[in-house]
Structure formats: structure tokens, C-alpha cells
Amino acid sequence: MAASHRVSVFPSPRELGPALARLVAERAAATGSGRFSLGLSGGSLVGILSRDLPAAIAAAGPAAPSRWLVAFCDERLVPPEHPESTAGAYAAQLLPQLPAPGPRVLAPATGLPPAAAAADYAAQLRQAFPGEDVPVFDLLVLGLGPDGHTCSLFPGHPLLQEKEKTVAAITDSPKPPPERITLTLPVLNAARMVVFVATGEGKAAVLKRILEGDEENPLPAARVRPRPGQLRWLLDEPAARELTIPVEKHPVP
């Protein structure tokens, strides 16, 4: 493991959530009066952040969400009201809880065909990160699938080799819905900090492969190695049960 690669283990998502929320709020506060750029993934992370982030922001004080730029690490090309929409879920659950004025949000145009939606989102990122060939996020919060995928980067998929595009379209996702757009590995690996969140015993086997393996053809999540940024893993005990590496254990408060 890289020196900056830390693994923290909590008894359950109930204890993990506040720790993740504090980390987000602290990273925002560390930017001082400048902008804080945050990339969010969907799935169970929506509920965790919606439950715990508003209180963490209030406790942190000066990190006003009006200085935040929020983007999404991938998106299913479905309408915002669809239950699979990441942007729609955050708009319904988290964003209304943040103090006004809220963050600037970059939302993919899901009504376009996949290639056009990817190009449009890449253009939004270029405008939001002027002068940067690859956008450098202050923090990316990523999830992990039991197959080792993260964002919409799946094992064995050609998108793992993408080196030029910052946003790519996928029309054959093995996990429905099939049409999506996703940030690419160059963007993930340019971030100042990446935090993976994984919970449940269904993630235990793949976490052992990612964190303890040395595979010739690594899984997508194992390819996320931000340079010169930091890499953190926040796990619950069921997800971490097969690990033998040293971890930071956080008991119930």
C-alpha cells in the first residue's frame, strides 16, 4: 500500500457516516475562503451523506456551501426523477438541507444521447476548472461494487484504458441501466483526495483483492491511485472482515 493509503474501519454505517461527513466538512474548511470542489457518487452514499453531512457542516462553521462546487462522478442517463438518478437523489435528499445559498452543482444533461451527454459534461468541467487539462477536485467520494467497479468503470471494460477524455460515455454497462457517463481514471487520479466508502459483507472478498492483492490486471477501484493526492478507505466491520493488513479501528463512541 502507498504511504498515504489509509484504511479506517467502523462498527457499522451508523458510525461511518458521521466520520465521512466530518472529513468532507474539514476538507472544505481547509480551503479557507477559496472554492471547495467535491465529486460525489450515488447509491448508498446519498443516504449516508444526507443523514450526516448537514450537521457536520454546521459544526465546521466557516465552510459555507455557497463556496462549494459539487459534481457527480458518474450518472445514469435517466430522468432526474428516476430512482436510479444520482443527481436527482442528491437534489431531493441532501441539497435542500444545506444552508442557502447552496453550492454550484454541475449536473449531467441526461436527456442527450450518451456521447453527447459525455461531451456536454466535459465542457461543463472545462468551464468550471479553467486552465486545467484534467480537473483537479479537492475531494472525490467514491463507492465500490462487489465486482470491484467504481463510478461506471467496470472490470475488463475498454474505458479503463481511456487516457484522453475526462468524461466518457458507456452504453453497455453490465449493471443496469446500460447508458451512463462517467469520470475517467485520469480525473480520479488527479484529485487531491479520494475517499472510498464500502459497507457490508458482500464487499469483503473484493476489498481483500484490492487492498492486499497484487494483480497483473487490477480491478477498476485498485487503479485509483491519486498522485500526489491522498487515498482513504472508510469501511464497516463486515466489509473489512477478510483483511489482514493494519487498519485504524474506530469503536462505537
Side-chain angles (χ1 to χ4, degrees):
M1 288 193 306
S4 61
H5 185 150
R6 291 173 56 192
V7 181
S8 300
V9 179
F10 301 84
S12 76
R14 181 61 62 179
E15 293 79 29
L16 185 157
L20 172 63
R22 284 193 301 272
L23 178 60
V24 174
E26 288 166 3
R27 294 294 292 186
T31 62
S33 60
R35 185 184 76 174
F36 172 60
S37 52
L38 173 66
L40 297 175
S41 298
S44 62
L45 283 168
V46 181
I48 291 173
L49 289 169
S50 299
R51 183 187 69 216
D52 295 312
L53 185 56
I57 292 172
S66 61
R67 294 191 293 99
W68 294 21
L69 172 73
V70 174
F72 302 106
C73 299
D74 70 328
E75 182 60 284
R76 293 93 161 181
L77 296 184
V78 295
E81 63 274 11
H82 192 284
E84 292 284 351
S85 169
T86 294
Y90 278 109
Q93 298 179 46
L94 174 63
L95 296 179
Q97 298 189 65
L98 301 184
R104 177 186 175 191
V105 179
L106 300 187
T110 56
L112 298 175
D120 178 81
Y121 198 48
Q124 290 188 52
L125 289 173
R126 279 195 301 274
Q127 185 179 37
F129 293 84
E132 298 180 14
D133 292 335
V134 176
V136 178
F137 280 88
D138 293 308
L139 177 62
L140 296 176
V141 182
L142 304 183
L144 174 72
D147 61 351
H149 86 266
T150 191
C151 299
S152 285
L153 301 170
F154 293 92
H157 197 279
L159 283 187
L160 295 177
Q161 310 307 321
E162 179 60 58
K163 293 181 172 58
E164 302 299 325
K165 295 178 180 177
T166 57
V167 182
I170 179 169
T171 59
D172 56 352
S173 167
K175 180 181 178 183
E179 294 188 342
R180 303 163 174 236
I181 61 171
T182 183
L183 298 183
T184 58
L185 283 170
V187 179
L188 304 187
N189 286 326
R192 294 186 175 93
M193 176 180 274
V194 174
V195 178
F196 275 99
V197 177
T199 60
E201 62 182 334
K203 308 290 176 65
V206 75
L207 279 166
K208 186 171 183 66
R209 285 181 62 185
I210 292 168
L211 294 174
E212 298 183 2
D214 186 19
E215 301 183 5
E216 191 172 317
N217 185 25
L219 293 169
R223 297 170 186 252
V224 179
R225 306 182 187 101
R227 293 289 184 267
Q230 303 173 57
L231 179 60
R232 294 283 306 274
W233 288 82
L234 303 187
L235 316 175
D236 69 355
E237 288 181 357
R241 64 184 174 87
E242 293 189 22
L243 297 179
T244 59
I245 57 172
V247 300
E248 301 173 355
K249 290 207 170 184
H250 298 262
V252 177

